[in-house]
Amino acid sequence: ILDSVGTGVVDNVSHGRAALYNAGTIVEIKGGKFTRSVDNSTDATSAKGNSWYVVYNAENATINRISDGEFLAIGEFSSLFCNCGLINEISGGTFTQNGFIAFKNEGTVNKISGGTFSSEDESCIQNWGSIGEITGGTITAGSIGIWNFSSDKYNSVGKVGQISGGNISGSTAAIRLNDYDTTYLNKPSTINKASVAVSGGNISGNLQVNANTELSVSGGSFSQSVERKYLDQSLNAELKRASGETPYSYYTSMNDALAAAKPGDTVTDLNATTGSKVTLTLKYNDGATADTTYNVASGTTITLPTPAHRSGYTFNGWYDGSKFYAAGASYKVSATATLNASWSYISSGSSSYD
């Protein structure tokens, strides 16, 4: 499907009918606009005589690739796009449904490598089927970015095999996992378990992991700290950036986290017990740089950083109240301590300490 002119629109306003209904095979959707300009629904419980999916990929049907195109719905009862068959890859296109679910998957999507998905009021991607991997694209929701449902009753796996890239955000949750049978039938699924594995990408919002579901994190950047129980056992250090929408990331070793840290960041040893954990704070005293904090096990050695150039001043070293330590020196953190950056003001003929 190609829109060679650039103004092609398929607009189906008939109740229970899609702008694009695929029961066979589509090699590629490369353009065009698919929409429903008239939709009587005003809530999630009634179609009010006119509503349905804009795009429906039927069971046993195949869309090999979606590389472009605009998909738009305005109602509050029906999802914009419903996949019950197979989509090999989504690499582009915009999927916008501000009143309801933007993309509902009940079949299989092998890969999402691009595209822009958005929903202001609902889950952006509601997944009852299987999404093999998400390597790119933007998923933005006023409620839930990705909502996975598993169910034995409905034979739903609710699985995202791996998120290795892309931007996923939701004001209620970036990712939510639910076992439908546990939540609504009070009878946990024994065969299917909603799951997501995250190894990369930017995840902004809560991670809501409900009963009989599974989240595993081996990489990625997050807007909030990830609970230790969800982190891969190989991860031993947390780095929190001083700024950014997704400041939290994880490393296999403290050395790697320390090497990646910049002024103002916080590094935490995930294996340090409450009794052994101590804190080293570096105060830059330059009027611009936030403190750097290291939460580490007692006895950890830190290589002291070199502060950024401060115009009009010379850096004297890190001072603990009785002793100076040079930038690059090894400092053993045996107890909670604070080191202050000491500066000399440079003026013609004289200097003073700060």
Side-chain angles (χ1 to χ4, degrees):
I1 298 175
L2 174 65
D3 182 7
S4 58
V5 177
T7 57
V9 178
V10 181
D11 182 4
N12 194 334
V13 299
S14 300
H15 178 60
R17 297 290 186 269
L20 175 59
Y21 186 112
N22 180 43
T25 298
I26 296 175
V27 174
E28 185 173 3
I29 299 175
K30 301 177 66 174
K33 178 178 180 178
F34 303 87
T35 188
R36 169 180 291 275
S37 62
V38 177
D39 194 312
N40 294 340
S41 63
T42 56
D43 56 57
T45 61
S46 175
K48 292 184 173 61
N50 187 359
S51 187
W52 212 56
Y53 309 116
V54 171
V55 180
Y56 185 77
N57 193 44
E59 187 175 359
N60 298 321
T62 298
I63 299 175
N64 186 54
R65 185 183 181 91
I66 300 173
S67 58
D68 204 352
E70 180 183 0
F71 307 89
L72 174 65
I74 61 173
E76 299 181 21
F77 178 78
S78 297
S79 304
L80 162 66
F81 195 121
C82 181
N83 174 51
C84 293
L86 170 65
I87 299 176
N88 188 45
E89 183 176 2
I90 299 173
S91 61
T94 59
F95 305 78
T96 308
Q97 164 59 299
N98 288 332
F100 208 57
I101 302 162
F103 189 92
K104 184 177 183 180
N105 181 48
E106 297 180 352
T108 298
V109 179
N110 285 332
K111 186 176 185 179
I112 297 176
S113 59
T116 301
F117 303 78
S118 61
S119 175
E120 289 185 358
D121 300 322
E122 250 284 0
S123 52
C124 195
I125 293 181
Q126 189 177 104
N127 178 41
W128 295 77
S130 174
I131 298 175
E133 58 179 333
I134 298 175
T135 63
T138 300
I139 299 167
T140 306
S143 181
I144 302 167
I146 297 176
W147 193 351
N148 278 11
F149 275 100
S150 57
S151 172
D152 284 355
K153 179 178 180 179
Y154 296 111
N155 193 28
S156 301
V157 295
K159 177 180 181 180
V160 176
Q162 181 168 244
I163 298 173
S164 60
N167 301 291
I168 301 168
S169 63
S171 59
T172 300
I175 298 172
R176 175 184 286 178
L177 305 177
N178 272 99
D179 177 50
Y180 180 91
D181 297 9
T182 298
T183 304
Y184 299 102
L185 304 179
N186 198 29
K187 183 181 179 181
S189 297
T190 58
I191 299 172
N192 298 300
K193 179 181 288 189
S195 64
V196 172
V198 182
S199 62
N202 299 304
I203 314 297
S204 181
N206 293 326
L207 302 174
Q208 297 182 346
V209 185
N210 294 295
N212 204 35
T213 65
E214 186 175 279
L215 170 69
S216 61
V217 174
S218 60
S221 299
F222 301 83
S223 63
Q224 57 187 248
S225 181
V226 179
E227 290 186 56
R228 188 69 173 100
K229 62 184 178 181
Y230 302 129
L231 295 174
D232 189 85
Q233 292 182 349
S234 66
L235 300 176
N236 297 293
E238 176 186 85
L239 172 61
K240 181 187 178 185
R241 296 292 186 191
S243 61
E245 293 184 3
T246 55
Y248 291 91
S249 57
Y250 297 87
Y251 293 80
T252 56
S253 72
M254 276 294 292
N255 286 338
D256 289 344
L258 292 170
K262 298 178 180 179
D265 292 350
T266 299
V267 178
T268 299
D269 184 345
L270 297 174
N271 297 320
T273 62
T274 301
S276 69
K277 185 180 289 186
V278 293
T279 299
L280 173 64
T281 302
L282 302 183
K283 292 185 173 294
Y284 289 81
N285 298 321
D286 60 2
T289 307
D291 299 348
T292 295
T293 304
Y294 305 100
N295 300 307
V296 298
S298 178
T300 299
T301 298
I302 303 292
T303 300
L304 298 176
T306 301
H309 174 70
R310 185 182 180 191
S311 180
Y313 289 84
T314 298
F315 176 65
N316 302 311
W318 296 100
Y319 186 58
D320 67 0
S322 61
K323 182 179 179 181
F324 282 94
Y325 299 87
S330 295
Y331 181 87
K332 187 174 182 179
V333 190
S334 300
T336 293
T338 298
L339 297 181
N340 284 279
S342 174
W343 303 90
S344 290
Y345 175 69
I346 303 171
S347 62
S348 57
S350 65
S351 64
S352 59
Y353 283 95
D354 179 19

